[in-house]
Each structure stands twice: as structure tokens, then as C-alpha cells.
Amino acid sequence: MSEEGSAKRHGLIIVNTGNGKGKTTAALGTVFRALGQGFKVAMIQFIKGGWRYGELSAAEKFADFSLEPMGHGFIKLGDGDPAPEDCALAEKTWAKCAEKILSDEYDLVVCDEVNYALSYGLLPVAMVLKTLSRKPQRLHVILTGRNAPEELIEMADMVTEMREIKHPYQKGIKAQRGIEF
């Protein structure tokens, strides 16, 4: 990014939340737009991992886009505290996000599904807020996932809530390649 463009830019904290489909998809749309403006972009995924899905293949086609799935593809939820291994993985994944955010090497960093980690108690909200408060002024950060905590919503510059009205799953239609993975 040119000095002129980055000097004028006010980096935004953007939250995509809600129970409807489209949080990651909206973030990827912003990634696509940012790449078109010459931005360097990193996306770290908290839950996804363990299998090949569309965005992984697409990301390989862009030199300035790194996509790192760090999850196991599922979280062990029960009646009590979250599993220690899930907490450890969430903290490791947030450490990777924080590294990218604070490096001042990127124009946009997407922390995909981090809101799940926060709402499931896998990651302390204060840890995320502390990093975001120290981000470079020019850096845009997108945080996705259901149930974004109120403290994150308060800190954010832009919050969009995806609300499910109708979903094909309700008719027994399974997830479709190219649409949901």
C-alpha cells in the first residue's frame, strides 16, 4: 500500500456476528475487495481445519493472501468447562492472530470464528480487546462468529448481525459445495 493511502486510512475493527449464514462469506468478500486495492491480507481460522474446503483452494491463487486454518473442525462442548485442549488451541490461534495484527505487515487481518472461541469460554475477551487496542492505526481487522461479546461490539467500529430467516437445512437439504464449503 502506498504511503499516501496508508497515511489517510483509519483502520476499522469490524464484527460479523449473528445466527445467520454469511459471516465468513462477508469477510471473504471484503478480503477480495481489499486484494483488488493492493492490500496484503491474512486470515486465521479458529474452528475450521481438518478437511479441504473452497476458500483454501481460492486463497492459494492470491500472492498477497495467507489463509491459515488452525482448528480441528469441531469443539467439545459439555455441561462444564471447555476441554483444556480446546482452550490451548484457541490461545495458540489467538497468538497467531495477535502476531499478524501487531506485525504491521498487513492491511487487513481476519480472525475467522473468534467469536465462537470467546462465547464458548475458550479465550478470554480481555486478551482479544488488549491486542485490538494496540493494533496499528491503519490496520483493518474483521472478527467473525456467532455471539460476539458485548465488550467487542462496543469496541468495534462496524458491527453487522446476520439473521437467519430461512435455511435449506430446514427442508433437509445438506450443505452445498461452493455455497457453504
Side-chain angles (χ1 to χ4, degrees), residues 33-165:
R33 179 175 285 159
L35 290 167
Q37 292 293 335
F39 285 19
K40 185 173 179 183
V41 181
M43 183 175 196
I44 299 92
Q45 296 180 310
F46 276 77
I47 309 296
K48 290 182 182 116
W51 60 290
R52 193 94 179 141
Y53 41 93
E55 54 257 46
L56 284 174
S57 299
E60 293 169 355
K61 299 178 186 318
F62 296 97
D64 288 331
F65 181 30
S66 69
L67 174 57
E68 298 179 54
M70 295 186 66
H72 294 303
F74 65 93
I75 301 286
K76 296 175 191 169
L77 296 176
D79 295 332
D81 293 330
E85 60 269 17
D86 288 334
C87 292
L89 183 57
E91 288 185 18
K92 178 181 175 184
T93 304
W94 181 253
K96 178 62 78 169
C97 290
E99 174 188 315
K100 303 278 187 189
I101 289 168
L102 299 174
S103 73
D104 204 19
E105 293 177 26
Y106 297 90
D107 299 292
L108 171 63
V109 174
V110 179
C111 305
D112 189 34
E113 305 160 326
V114 67
N115 296 335
Y116 291 111
L118 294 169
S119 68
Y120 295 157
L122 303 174
L123 194 62
V125 175
M127 181 184 295
V128 172
L129 298 177
K130 181 178 179 184
T131 300
L132 293 174
S133 72
R134 296 174 43 222
K135 76 172 189 62
Q137 190 276 333
R138 66 179 194 80
L139 177 68
H140 300 295
V141 179
I142 301 176
L143 305 108
T144 73
R146 293 179 184 216
N147 304 316
E150 194 57 41
E151 303 93 328
L152 181 58
I153 289 171
E154 288 296 319
M155 178 183 257
D157 299 294
M158 181 187 309
V159 179
T160 300
E161 181 177 12
M162 277 58 165
R163 182 172 61 94
E164 183 178 307
I165 295 172

Side-chain angles (χ1 to χ4, degrees), residues 10-21:
H10 177 90
L12 301 174
I13 297 173
I14 301 167
V15 174
N16 295 341
T17 194
N19 70 345
K21 182 192 170 338

